Amino acid sequence: MIERYALSPLKDLWELRAQYERWLEVELAVVAAYEKTGLVPQGTHDKIASSARVDLDSILKIESEVDHDVIAFIKSVTQNMGDEARYFHLGLTSSDVVDTALSLAITESGKLIIHALEKLSEALKERAVAYKDVVCMGRTHGVHAEPTSFGLKLLSFYVEIKRAIDRLKKATENCAVGKLSGAVGNYANISLEIEKIALAELGLKPTVVSTQVIPRDVHAEFFTVLAIAASSIERMATEFRHLQKTEVLEVQEPFREGQRGSSAMPHKKNPIICERLTGMARIVRSYVLASLENISLWHERDISHSSVERIIFPDATMLLYYMAERSAYLVSNLVVYPDRMRENFKASRNLVFSQRVMLSLVDRGMSREDAYQLVQRLSMNCWNSGLDFKEVVLSNEEIAQYLDSEEAIRLFEPEYYLRNVGQIFERAFDGGN
């Protein structure tokens, strides 16, 4: 991931040194398991741990000669050891170390992303509650539909992010597996007991059946969940982008002191965070296809997945972490204009109350078909002539036969549309029950 979007502490997990340190952690866990079961002399683990060092320059130098990063790692780490070096990497194949260590990185990345998404969900919850009773225009197909609550918009995003968190927790848990089963996964040179003990030390479970690698469908699920979360953030960003249009201007991104929106136009305040989030979601989604391609490998394993994963794991996790962190900032500092929301009602000249007028006529005895045709005819007249729908309704003699003027006036109160919003909030905070 380019430095521009790489945030600590997540980016630190994918540094090359951190990778080798995880490899060493796996190797030491295996030695400890051997020692615990009496297969190597007591004290072997401590001797290896005290002499093993991750020397990045040394590893890279050796790799330039042997063209194999795991062999280079082993040669470098064991170069200061004595006889105990023969127990290092005993019975293992490269993927035992690489895949198990990768699971450590995935699970830690998942936890960090979950924490960032939880910050976003809390920010959404707080702002949703604050704007629960603020009336705004609901839009379908980009067109004014009916009044709604701005807090309800935010509540929808909150609940969606909560679902993303739940999915990611499950997917991260599913990735918390390792394999120490040897060259083709048949435990010919290492026992299931050693694997179980070593993986427990690492906080992982054994892969039920492995080949030389952990089956990649596990990873594909993880990437799919990341992509769904990114898409949920994008849905929120897309809404905010529209609401920041000059002719709408119901919300604005935070604009810091000294910030500039355009090199040419000093007046500009552009939705750069939301647009950035939109672009990042596209990248995260694109990695799902690569992860799916990695599922089908030749026989017990090939390395066609390896180069792909060196890119997509760091990039996808760092992108989503960045998206979650920036989204939390965006939501917490979003500038909201309730007065502008009210003002925007005027654009559709009260046409958004058409359904309520129609249903009131039906309630008073008019057939639904007749009521629909009448209200539609009046609405289309307003669309074409620029008349105000409320005034047209109040002056219509056919409607007056069913509704008196006071009853008709009450049909144009936007607060009516928020009467059940409180119950929706209660249900959302009650876990959907």
Side-chain angles (χ1 to χ4, degrees):
M1 175 49 55
I2 62 173
E3 191 67 23
R4 184 182 183 91
Y5 305 131
L7 301 178
S8 293
L10 199 144
K11 75 169 184 175
D12 305 328
L13 290 174
W14 299 104
E15 297 287 347
L16 192 56
R17 176 176 295 280
Q19 171 191 288
Y20 289 133
E21 287 173 349
R22 284 190 295 271
W23 289 7
L24 180 57
E25 187 179 357
V26 173
E27 296 276 10
L28 289 173
V30 174
V31 174
Y34 278 135
E35 187 174 314
K36 185 174 183 179
T37 55
L39 295 175
V40 302
Q42 292 298 306
T44 299
H45 173 273
D46 290 347
K47 287 181 180 178
I48 290 177
S50 64
S51 59
R53 294 288 182 274
V54 172
D55 185 332
L56 198 55
D57 291 338
S58 170
I59 295 171
L60 294 176
K61 183 177 184 300
I62 297 171
E63 185 181 358
S64 69
E65 300 167 359
V66 301
D67 200 22
H68 194 295
D69 53 357
V70 177
I71 292 174
F73 162 78
I74 295 169
K75 288 174 66 69
S76 176
V77 168
T78 59
Q79 60 188 351
N80 294 322
M81 294 181 192
D83 183 61
E84 68 274 10
R86 64 196 180 99
Y87 301 117
F88 192 88
H89 201 69
L90 180 65
L92 300 177
T93 190
S94 297
S95 290
D96 288 329
V97 178
V98 173
D99 271 16
T100 301
L102 177 60
S103 292
L104 295 176
I106 295 170
T107 53
E108 189 59 33
S109 294
K111 291 174 185 176
L112 290 171
I113 296 169
I114 288 167
H115 179 67
L117 288 173
E118 285 173 340
K119 288 198 297 184
L120 171 57
S121 73
E122 285 304 308
L124 283 166
K125 181 178 181 180
E126 181 180 335
R127 299 307 295 273
V129 170
Y131 293 102
K132 177 170 69 73
D133 299 319
V134 172
V135 178
C136 70
M137 182 51 60
R139 298 171 176 88
T140 58
H141 307 277
V143 178
H144 282 198
E146 287 188 342
T148 188
S149 154
F150 185 67
L152 189 59
K153 280 181 180 280
L154 299 176
L155 186 71
S156 172
F157 301 138
Y158 161 77
V159 173
E160 188 165 343
I161 294 301
K162 293 292 284 186
R163 289 195 295 269
I165 292 169
D166 290 341
R167 289 190 201 99
L168 187 52
K169 285 180 178 178
K170 181 63 176 176
T172 301
E173 180 183 344
N174 289 343
C175 285
V177 293
K179 62 86 59 183
L180 302 170
S181 54
V184 293
N186 60 8
Y187 298 91
N189 300 303
I190 191 171
S191 71
L192 278 77
E193 181 187 12
I194 294 297
E195 179 189 61
K196 184 177 181 180
I197 295 171
L199 293 181
E201 179 68 21
L202 297 168
L204 303 174
K205 296 178 182 179
T207 304
V208 177
V209 179
S210 64
T211 57
Q212 193 178 91
V213 296
I214 294 172
R216 261 41 192 179
D217 64 295
V218 176
H219 297 160
E221 178 190 30
F222 182 76
F223 280 102
T224 302
V225 168
L226 295 183
I228 294 172
S231 297
S232 294
I233 290 175
E234 184 188 15
R235 185 175 83 88
M236 178 185 70
T238 299
E239 178 69 14
F240 292 160
R241 285 173 66 192
H242 169 78
L243 296 180
Q244 288 179 84
K245 288 182 178 179
T246 303
E247 58 270 30
V248 181
L249 201 58
E250 295 182 1
V251 304
Q252 273 191 324
E253 287 187 7
F255 197 82
R256 293 177 287 100
E257 182 73 25
Q259 183 177 341
R260 299 187 180 190
S262 167
S263 63
M265 297 168 283
H267 72 279
K268 294 280 280 181
K269 289 185 178 182
N270 299 326
I272 58 171
I273 297 176
C274 291
E275 291 172 342
R276 189 181 307 148
L277 295 173
T278 297
M280 288 179 165
R282 296 169 186 168
I283 299 298
V284 177
R285 284 193 295 271
S286 75
Y287 289 150
V288 175
L289 178 58
S291 72
L292 292 171
E293 295 285 351
N294 278 352
I295 293 175
S296 180
L297 305 176
W298 283 15
H299 308 298
E300 276 60 53
R301 181 241 182 165
D302 61 58
I303 64 166
S304 60
H305 65 291
S306 178
S307 56
V308 178
E309 290 173 354
R310 290 174 192 266
I311 297 169
I312 66 175
F313 269 113
D315 279 16
T317 53
M318 279 193 272
L319 274 172
L320 187 57
Y321 183 73
Y322 180 97
M323 291 177 72
E325 287 283 342
R326 293 304 291 168
S327 294
Y329 166 78
L330 169 66
V331 171
S332 296
N333 296 279
L334 189 70
V335 181
V336 181
Y337 300 114
D339 291 343
R340 179 69 176 190
M341 293 176 183
R342 286 276 189 172
E343 184 70 19
N344 282 341
F345 272 96
K346 296 177 181 179
S348 53
R349 302 183 302 281
N350 285 312
L351 284 168
V352 296
F353 298 97
S354 67
Q355 181 176 200
R356 193 170 181 211
V357 172
M358 179 190 72
L359 293 178
S360 296
L361 292 172
V362 172
D363 187 57
R364 292 303 176 88
M366 185 180 287
S367 73
R368 192 183 191 283
E369 181 61 24
D370 289 344
Y372 190 100
Q373 288 186 8
L374 172 59
V375 173
Q376 186 185 46
R377 185 173 68 252
L378 298 177
S379 298
M380 293 304 102
N381 184 37
C382 291
W383 268 114
N384 296 327
S385 65
L387 295 174
D388 185 89
F389 181 66
K390 179 178 179 181
E391 295 176 2
V392 169
V393 167
L394 292 175
S395 63
N396 184 268
E397 294 181 0
E398 193 171 355
I399 291 177
Q401 295 177 22
Y402 293 88
L403 302 167
D404 62 36
S405 59
E406 290 186 6
E407 291 171 329
I409 289 172
R410 284 198 295 272
L411 299 180
F412 293 86
E413 295 172 351
E415 287 74 17
Y416 167 85
Y417 295 85
L418 273 59
R419 69 191 192 285
N420 292 317
V421 167
Q423 293 183 55
I424 302 173
F425 269 74
E426 290 175 8
R427 185 170 63 184
F429 296 153
D430 191 32
N433 299 319

